[in-house]
Amino acid sequence: MLIDKIEVDTVKMPLVNPFETSFGKLKEKDFLIVKLFGKNHVGLGESVALPDPTYSEETTGTVSYMLEKFLIPMLFKHEIQHPDDVSTIFSPIRRNNMAKAALEGAVWDLYSKEKGIPLARALGGTQPTIDVGVSIGIEATTEQLLSKVERFLAEGYKKIKIKIKPGYDLEPLTKIRETFGYDIPLMADANSAYSLKDLSHLKKFDALNLMMIEQPLAYDDIIDHSVLQKEIKTPICLDESIHSAEDARKAIELRSCKIINIKIGRVGGLSEAKKIHNLCQSHAIPVWCGGMLEGGIGRAHNIAITSLSGFTIAGDTSASNRYWQEDIIVPEVTLSSPGEISVPTSSGIGYELNEEVIQKHLLNKKVYTS
């Protein structure tokens, strides 16, 4: 697989609603669209990095720099036989997983288009549809939160995730339970907002019958989560702590969690995501696909990886209109039935670019040739 040209577009789009977590509020998102030009097809990738280094150390700016100065020149030097080769090519570069994943995802899309098969099948996916949930940010009032939960339950979403932080946790979760019952699939995402000093408080979550509490402790921790999981019944799901299959192995051996959230950008690409999936499946650890407020390309990659059999918990890949007035792909991602999205059956990611939307929100375009 030879790559003749790479184009990187920077776009910035407003979110339908501001999205607030324990580390800040986002009203708009800038991201990179990566286009790899092969002989007959164009492979598409997307950087999922946020504008600020809050979720991780990477930002849209650092990803752009890494692509231009290091990763794109490295990719041009090699003829790629299979997308798995990309992680080996990039192995001399430490971390910068979201930058690596943006290019590697485009390679996977180009590869599957050249083979004439859906990306999901190229990855080994077998599920024709995926179950999806929603992620709800920190709301200004309990009434607004309950209104959103009611709407998303009516739309059939199969998991309700709410962001929490100290001072905004037990009360909203309890209100949801009192209003909608203790059987709806509900989880909490703490984004590293607590520590073991909060142990007595975190034990109170057990009464809420949550599917899981996601990353309650430090973003780089595995040890303290192991301590916490022994003390609480609520399953811990690790997110920010897991950057590789090796991280997942250590977390499983230490019993730091009972569930793992796989985000393609966080772990460095689809190849590593698949490794983590396979490892977790062999240890009976459920996995699901988390979201990073992706545009349509990133959303399509999430759909493809979620088609693997080990993704048994509904992910965050909800419909495009949940986040965007208009998406960068056509057709936009929609629910094929309540709480489900059909996995595309055409080659590659199964969606085309909406160039009109991209041009409307375009900030910058760079073209690189071998």
Side-chain angles (χ1 to χ4, degrees):
M1 184 165 43
L2 291 173
I3 299 167
D4 302 320
K5 182 176 72 171
I6 297 175
E7 181 178 303
V8 180
D9 295 346
T10 306
V11 298
K12 179 184 285 188
M13 303 204 307
L15 291 160
V16 170
N17 295 299
F19 193 81
E20 184 174 352
T21 70
S22 62
F23 49 71
K25 181 185 291 187
L26 206 63
K27 297 181 179 180
E28 57 186 4
K29 189 185 181 190
D30 59 351
F31 53 92
L32 307 177
I33 299 170
V34 178
K35 305 174 187 176
L36 266 59
F37 292 81
K39 185 177 181 180
N40 299 307
H41 301 279
V42 179
L44 302 175
E46 178 184 324
S47 165
V48 300
L50 298 177
D52 302 310
T54 47
Y55 173 80
S56 77
E57 67 273 20
E58 289 185 86
T59 67
T60 310
T62 67
V63 169
S64 179
Y65 176 83
M66 290 300 300
L67 292 178
E68 180 170 337
K69 297 299 182 181
F70 298 99
L71 300 178
I72 288 175
M74 293 173 78
L75 200 63
F76 276 142
K77 291 179 181 178
H78 296 83
E79 182 174 352
I80 300 165
Q81 302 299 322
H82 189 276
D84 288 341
D85 298 343
V86 178
S87 57
T88 302
I89 294 169
F90 291 160
S91 61
I93 304 295
R94 301 283 179 89
R95 302 283 289 213
N96 292 283
N97 283 353
M98 292 180 182
K100 294 175 179 177
L103 268 180
E104 191 236 43
V107 171
W108 268 104
D109 183 39
L110 180 59
Y111 172 82
S112 56
K113 285 173 177 172
E114 290 187 349
K115 294 290 184 181
I117 60 175
L119 175 58
R121 190 191 306 170
L123 290 165
T126 58
Q127 303 184 85
T129 63
I130 64 168
D131 290 342
V132 293
V134 290
S135 178
I136 303 174
I138 294 171
E139 297 294 322
T141 67
T142 301
E143 289 71 23
Q144 289 177 1
L145 172 65
L146 295 177
S147 176
K148 286 191 174 184
V149 172
E150 182 177 27
R151 174 159 59 92
F152 294 136
L153 287 174
E155 292 175 6
Y157 282 105
K158 297 186 178 182
K159 185 187 71 184
I160 302 294
K161 177 171 88 171
I162 74 164
K163 298 287 186 176
I164 62 170
K165 64 180 180 179
Y168 183 92
D169 47 27
L170 291 176
E171 181 180 355
L173 287 167
T174 301
K175 287 290 186 181
I176 292 172
R177 282 302 190 209
E178 290 175 349
T179 305
F180 303 103
Y182 279 73
D183 294 329
I184 68 164
L186 178 65
M187 64 166 287
D189 184 3
N191 288 117
S192 309
Y194 301 86
S195 73
L196 285 179
K197 294 179 181 178
D198 302 303
L199 179 57
S200 61
H201 180 71
L202 292 170
K203 285 183 176 181
K204 296 176 183 177
F205 285 68
D206 285 346
L208 293 166
N209 190 36
L210 300 178
M211 298 176 71
M212 68 192 88
I213 180 169
E214 185 177 0
Q215 199 73 32
L217 307 181
Y219 71 94
D220 56 353
D221 171 74
I222 290 178
I223 302 296
D224 284 355
H225 280 100
S226 176
V227 175
L228 178 61
Q229 186 64 93
K230 292 181 177 70
E231 295 291 330
I232 64 174
K233 295 178 182 178
T234 304
I236 291 175
C237 171
L238 288 184
D239 175 1
E240 289 96 326
S241 295
I242 308 299
H243 296 93
S244 64
E246 182 65 11
D247 287 344
R249 180 190 67 79
K250 293 172 182 174
I252 292 169
E253 288 191 8
L254 290 170
R255 299 182 181 180
S256 302
C257 62
K258 296 180 180 179
I259 301 168
I260 287 180
N261 169 353
I262 297 177
K263 290 179 179 173
I264 298 167
R266 191 192 72 233
V267 304
L270 289 162
S271 295
E272 194 69 19
K274 186 174 178 179
K275 288 180 184 178
I276 296 171
H277 162 274
N278 294 347
L279 174 72
C280 289
Q281 196 168 41
S282 70
H283 287 83
I285 299 291
V287 299
W288 56 281
C289 183
M292 290 290 294
L293 304 175
E294 292 91 349
I297 299 169
R299 204 163 292 273
H301 282 89
N302 286 351
I303 293 169
I305 193 68
T306 306
S307 70
L308 273 65
S309 60
F311 284 85
T312 56
I313 297 174
D316 286 346
T317 308
S318 46
S320 294
N321 64 8
R322 167 78 177 88
Y323 297 104
W324 312 110
Q325 293 287 356
E326 49 187 2
D327 207 342
I328 58 172
I329 57 169
V330 287
E332 294 191 351
V333 176
T334 58
L335 298 184
S336 54
S337 59
E340 294 183 356
I341 293 174
S342 292
V343 178
T345 55
S346 55
S347 66
I349 62 172
Y351 299 87
E352 301 294 330
L353 289 180
N354 189 330
E355 292 289 357
E356 182 179 344
V357 172
I358 292 171
Q359 290 303 313
K360 186 186 300 185
H361 299 285
L362 186 67
L363 297 179
N364 187 38
K365 179 188 295 289
K366 292 185 177 181
V367 178
Y368 306 90
T369 55
S370 57

